[in-house]
């Protein structure tokens, strides 16, 4: 079953109220502000062990009457222009009924609404024309959050709804086949009572369960920040021959930091002040706030090795190095499928780095972590990488675990800075393009954005390039026996055919699949004709079906694999290796 989002943040909630985000100014008259204050008091008054035992009843006793009122009325707000009946559909498996439902006068009816997975009981209340304010889903993280429908009390009235919060609320028609979660486009309603059919439906996103999450929600990182810079990471700008981007972390007490860099074996040092972003993971009890620094270097010399260090008055990193792209059209790179901040992937990365130190950069095809909103997951990701990305740039695209539950990829965007040349009108740094010597790389976010809204951008990028090699990277594979992606095949694959894309690299399903070269859905004889689609996995494999696709040139069910590609002008040599260093797949393309 597909579980993709219709468009980034189709319901626009304040990221400050969520588990992990750049710190924003949040007011106490919002769920974000209230929960920020509540969590601060919990840290002040409870031990870590006590934090793990709090319940909904405890929190309702702990908060003030004013805070309780805010949590009961500001989670969802809209205006109705005539008297209306508001129906709240609540998952029957939710352990704690939202505390405000009965208090606000909602009454449980005998009606139920169903989809393929859940059954919802219907609570209703008549409201006067004007503003309607509804409360939080709960203090736990029950992902099937409630959704709402509205109908006029007088059937002859023409009801209009004006969204207040979320401001970009989508309104649909309640009936079978309707979507209730905007981040889950494969889950539709299968049973709707005739009394409710035709009402105006206000869908939601599963991530809203996190907005007041404190019950069972506190976490601990094994890699807390400190005064000394760590998580030093290189990424590439649009032109890697003359620039590089450096990012690193310190604790919140460090408010300023810099980078010094120089050509290797010289003494002429340049100095750049870094930009600081204060990040918050509200429920990360031993590292709630961290400082994230970014410095973009430009005006560099192509094909030159630079030494650098980052730091501030009280701590400085070791001396590291990077090399800018050359102009000789000879380079190599290494790529992984899903890695899920797996410690064994960290070991695999070290082995790949030792075996192929000439790699100019690494590519990750999504699912870098298990939960993209959790700072401790990113801490583990960088911790297990053990400094590799401070020497060799990391280029990635988000997977569904990085951009999760319809909330976007805020933490991903905060810790990985990528070219801001993606589709107009969409948040930057998620879909982007970069040129490395004679190769074009299109890095596409297929999780946060729809397939259709990126089609024209892909077309323009491929039409405009004179690159010899064309690579496309995104998370969901268009060719697999596990699940169809007809929109990708219909909208993007013809572009790959038209412009001669050489390779499409994906992840998501935890096994290895290399197709024969494909064009118009048919296999081609030579490796230089058609597009090769490759799906791989850098964490454990979990596909045991053994089904071999008719277009498969190579399939491996196990995991912990990586791929290394060497380009020499018009020759490409490809190798796939496992965790013991055994070669599992090879092929060559000459153009």
């Amino acid at each position: 079953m597909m579980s993709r989002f219709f468009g980034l943040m189709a319901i626009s909630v304040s990221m400050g109220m969520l588990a992990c985000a750049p710190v924003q100014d949040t007011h106490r008259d919002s769920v974000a502000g209230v929960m920020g204050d509540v969590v601060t008091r919990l840290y002040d008054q409870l031990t870590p062990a006590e934090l793990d035992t709090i319940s909904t009843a405890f929190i309702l006793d702990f908060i003030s009457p004013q805070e309780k009122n805010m949590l009961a009325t500001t989670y969802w707000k809209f205006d109705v222009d005539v008297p209306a009946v508001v129906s709240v559909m609540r998952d029957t498996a939710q352990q704690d009924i939202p505390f405000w439902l009965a208090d606000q006068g909602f009454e449980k009816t005998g009606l139920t609404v169903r989809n393929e997975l859940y059954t919802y009981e219907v609570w209703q209340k008549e409201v006067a024309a004007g503003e309607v304010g509804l409360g939080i889903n709960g203090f736990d993280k029950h992902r099937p959050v409630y959704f709402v429908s509205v109908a006029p009390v007088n059937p002859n009235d023409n009801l209009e709804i004006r969204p207040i919060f979320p401001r970009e609320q989508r309104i649909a028609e309640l009936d079978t086949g309707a979507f209730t979660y905007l981040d889950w486009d494969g889950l539709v309603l299968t049973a709707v009572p005739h009394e409710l059919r035709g009402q105006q439906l206000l869908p939601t996103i599963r991530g809203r369960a996190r907005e007041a999450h404190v019950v069972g929600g506190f976490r601990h990182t094994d890699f807390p920040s400190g005064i000394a810079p760590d998580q030093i990471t290189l990424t590439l700008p649009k032109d890697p021959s003359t620039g590089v981007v450096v990012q690193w972390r310190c604790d919140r007490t460090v408010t300023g930091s810099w980078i010094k860099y120089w050509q290797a074996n010289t003494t002429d040092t340049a100095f750049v002040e870094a930009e600081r972003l204060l990040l918050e993971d509200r429920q990360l009890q031993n590292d709630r706030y961290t400082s994230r620094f970014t410095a973009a270097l430009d005006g560099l010399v192509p094909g030159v090795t630079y030494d650098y260090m980052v730091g501030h008055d009280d701590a400085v990193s070791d001396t590291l190095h990077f090399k800018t792209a050359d102009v000789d059209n000879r380079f190599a790179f290494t790529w992984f499928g899903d890695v899920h901040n797996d410690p064994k992937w960290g070991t695999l990365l070290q082995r790949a780095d030792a075996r192929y130190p000439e790699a100019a950069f690494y590519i990750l095809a999504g699912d870098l972590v298990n939960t993209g909103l959790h700072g401790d997951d990113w801490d583990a990701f960088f911790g297990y990488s053990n400094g590799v990305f401070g020497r060799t740039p990391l280029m990635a695209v988000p997977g569904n675990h990085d951009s999760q539950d319809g909330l976007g990829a805020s933490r991903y965007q905060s810790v990985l800075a990528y070219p801001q040349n993606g589709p107009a009108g969409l948040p930057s740094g998620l879909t982007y393009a970069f040129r490395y010597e004679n190769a074009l790389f299109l890095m596409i976010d297929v999780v946060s954005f729809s397939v259709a809204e990126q089609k024209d951008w892909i077309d323009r990028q491929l039409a405009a390039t004179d690159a010899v090699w064309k690579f496309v990277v995104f998370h969901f594979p268009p060719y697999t026996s596990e699940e169809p992606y007809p929109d990708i095949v219909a909208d993007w694959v013809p572009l790959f055919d038209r412009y001669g894309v050489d390779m499409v690299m994906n992840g998501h399903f935890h096994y290895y699949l290399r197709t024969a070269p494909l064009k118009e859905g048919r296999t081609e004889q030579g490796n230089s004709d058609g597009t090769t689609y490759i799906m791989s996995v850098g964490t454990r494999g979990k596909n045991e079906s053994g089904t071999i696709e008719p277009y498969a040139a190579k399939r491996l069910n196990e995991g912990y694999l990586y791929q290394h590609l060497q380009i020499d002008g018009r020759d490409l040599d490809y190798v796939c290796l496992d965790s013991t260093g055994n070669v599992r797949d090879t092929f060559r393309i000459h153009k």
Side-chain angles (χ1 to χ4, degrees):
M1 177 180 292
M2 292 174 69
S3 177
R4 290 192 288 142
F5 194 41
F6 292 146
L8 184 68
M9 295 302 293
I11 282 188
S12 176
V13 298
S14 169
M15 293 306 293
M17 69 177 60
L18 301 174
C20 187
V23 174
Q24 298 181 359
D25 182 25
T26 55
H27 302 284
R28 287 178 172 80
D29 59 352
S30 67
V31 171
V34 168
M35 292 310 300
D37 288 348
V38 168
V39 168
T40 297
R41 297 203 310 273
L42 288 170
Y43 283 142
D44 288 342
Q45 299 178 30
L46 302 183
T47 66
E50 290 170 332
L51 287 173
D52 292 337
T53 66
I54 61 177
S55 64
T56 294
F58 173 87
I59 292 296
L60 289 173
D61 255 356
F62 184 82
I63 61 179
S64 70
Q66 294 81 7
E67 289 171 331
K68 186 175 181 180
N69 180 65
M70 295 302 302
L71 297 177
T73 59
T74 61
Y75 170 88
W76 209 331
K77 298 174 72 174
F78 53 89
D79 267 344
V80 293
D81 62 344
V82 298
V85 176
V86 177
S87 298
V88 171
M89 272 61 78
R90 186 193 79 89
D91 179 25
T92 57
Q94 185 181 24
Q95 184 174 356
D96 295 316
I97 298 174
F99 70 89
W100 52 270
L101 266 177
D103 291 348
Q104 282 200 27
F106 281 87
E107 295 182 354
K108 181 180 175 181
T109 71
L111 303 175
T112 58
V113 175
R114 294 184 177 86
N115 57 35
E116 295 170 285
L117 297 178
Y118 310 116
T119 298
Y120 303 84
E121 59 189 29
V122 181
W123 292 61
Q124 289 184 333
K125 175 187 176 182
E126 288 192 12
V127 299
E131 185 175 294
V132 178
L134 305 178
I136 62 173
N137 192 66
F139 294 103
D140 57 0
K141 191 187 71 177
H142 189 76
R143 291 172 78 208
V145 297
Y146 75 83
F147 55 94
V148 174
S149 70
V150 187
V153 172
N154 181 352
N156 296 321
D157 285 344
N158 181 25
L159 169 66
E160 291 190 10
I161 299 174
R162 182 178 69 88
I164 300 175
F165 185 84
R167 292 175 298 278
E168 299 174 15
Q169 173 70 59
R170 292 192 181 187
I171 301 176
E173 181 180 340
L174 180 59
D175 206 341
T176 55
F179 296 107
T180 54
Y181 301 112
L182 294 173
D183 61 309
W184 198 342
D185 62 0
L187 187 68
V188 298
L189 293 178
T190 55
V192 178
H194 72 273
E195 298 97 324
L196 301 180
R197 293 184 181 183
Q199 293 189 3
Q200 295 191 54
L201 169 66
L202 280 62
T204 186
I205 58 177
R206 290 175 294 169
R208 300 211 67 192
R210 300 176 185 273
E211 294 181 20
H213 181 206
V214 287
V215 175
F218 290 93
R219 290 171 279 103
H220 181 281
T221 178
D222 293 331
F223 302 92
S225 62
I227 292 178
D230 67 359
Q231 297 186 2
I232 302 171
T233 303
L234 303 170
T235 59
L236 299 176
K238 183 180 178 181
D239 183 1
S241 66
T242 59
V244 72
V245 182
V246 190
Q247 297 124 98
W248 62 95
R249 179 189 72 158
C250 296
D251 68 26
R252 70 175 302 178
T253 66
V254 180
T255 59
S257 190
W258 44 254
I259 180 170
K260 293 179 181 179
Y261 63 99
W262 59 96
Q263 289 191 26
N265 302 315
T266 71
T267 58
D268 187 11
T269 301
F271 177 95
V272 173
E273 291 280 357
E275 294 184 2
R276 179 193 184 229
L277 183 65
L278 182 63
L279 298 185
E280 178 185 14
D281 184 336
R282 194 175 63 198
Q283 292 156 294
L284 193 54
Q285 52 185 294
N286 65 328
D287 210 20
R288 179 175 179 178
Y289 297 98
T290 56
S291 295
R292 192 77 187 180
F293 295 99
T294 302
L297 311 184
D298 56 19
L300 306 179
V301 180
V304 169
T305 297
Y306 286 82
D307 293 331
Y308 76 96
M309 61 176 62
V310 300
H312 51 89
D313 289 346
D314 297 318
V316 178
S317 73
D318 293 336
T319 299
L320 302 169
H321 63 270
F322 63 84
K323 184 179 180 180
T324 53
D326 212 331
V327 293
D328 60 359
N329 298 326
R330 299 178 63 187
F331 69 96
F333 66 94
T334 300
W335 80 274
F336 296 85
D338 297 25
V339 301
H340 288 277
N341 58 275
D342 184 337
K344 291 184 179 180
W345 161 76
T347 301
L348 185 67
L349 174 65
Q350 314 307 316
R351 291 174 178 170
D353 186 58
R355 182 159 182 162
Y356 296 111
E358 75 277 12
F361 52 90
Y362 289 91
I363 283 179
L364 267 65
D367 283 358
L368 283 65
V369 296
N370 286 315
T371 303
L373 296 169
H374 288 179
D376 49 317
D377 270 27
W378 288 101
D379 293 346
F381 171 81
F382 288 115
Y384 298 146
S385 70
N386 198 30
V388 168
F389 302 135
R391 304 186 301 271
T392 307
L394 167 63
M395 306 303 286
V397 295
N400 53 294
H401 282 263
D402 308 315
S403 179
Q404 194 170 53
D405 285 355
L407 295 177
S410 63
R411 191 75 176 198
Y412 175 101
Q413 290 173 286
S414 298
V415 301
L416 295 170
Y418 290 126
Q420 301 185 18
N421 59 356
L426 298 181
S428 61
L430 297 172
T431 288
Y432 59 96
F434 71 97
R435 176 78 178 252
Y436 201 95
E437 302 196 22
N438 64 344
L440 174 70
F441 293 83
L442 299 189
M443 313 292 287
I444 307 174
D445 182 351
V446 75
V447 179
S448 304
F449 311 137
S450 74
V451 169
E453 64 188 338
Q454 300 184 88
K455 178 180 178 181
D456 290 345
W457 179 84
I458 296 171
D459 195 342
R460 290 193 300 272
Q461 296 295 317
L462 292 174
T465 189
D466 62 354
V468 173
W469 299 98
K470 305 178 187 73
F471 300 95
V472 179
V473 183
F474 53 91
H475 188 58
F476 297 131
Y479 291 105
T480 170
S481 61
E482 294 300 304
E483 183 177 304
Y485 290 92
D487 50 349
I488 298 176
V489 173
D491 282 2
W492 292 359
V493 168
L495 298 177
F496 303 158
D497 291 343
R498 182 188 312 163
Y499 295 110
V501 168
D502 298 286
M503 191 178 301
V504 173
M505 295 175 278
N506 311 112
H508 193 50
F509 298 107
H510 288 204
Y511 68 100
Y512 178 88
L513 171 68
R514 173 171 64 87
T515 74
L518 298 176
K519 192 167 187 177
E520 297 179 353
R522 298 187 298 271
T523 58
E524 299 292 315
Q525 293 301 312
N527 281 337
S528 61
D529 299 319
T531 301
T532 300
Y533 296 82
I534 306 178
M535 174 178 64
S536 190
V537 54
T539 184
R540 65 182 180 88
K542 61 181 181 183
N543 188 290
E544 303 297 335
S545 67
T547 301
I548 299 178
E549 293 83 353
Y551 42 75
K554 185 74 172 183
R555 177 179 169 128
L556 303 168
N557 282 341
E558 62 265 41
Y560 297 108
L561 304 170
Y562 69 93
Q563 296 68 229
H564 185 72
L565 291 83
Q566 292 184 317
I567 289 175
D568 186 353
R570 291 183 169 270
D571 291 322
L572 181 153
D573 287 289
Y574 170 101
V575 59
C576 170
L577 300 98
D578 63 21
S579 60
T580 61
N582 292 323
V583 173
R584 305 303 302 276
D585 190 20
T586 63
F587 68 92
R588 174 174 242 221
I589 301 176
H590 173 75
K591 302 184 74 169

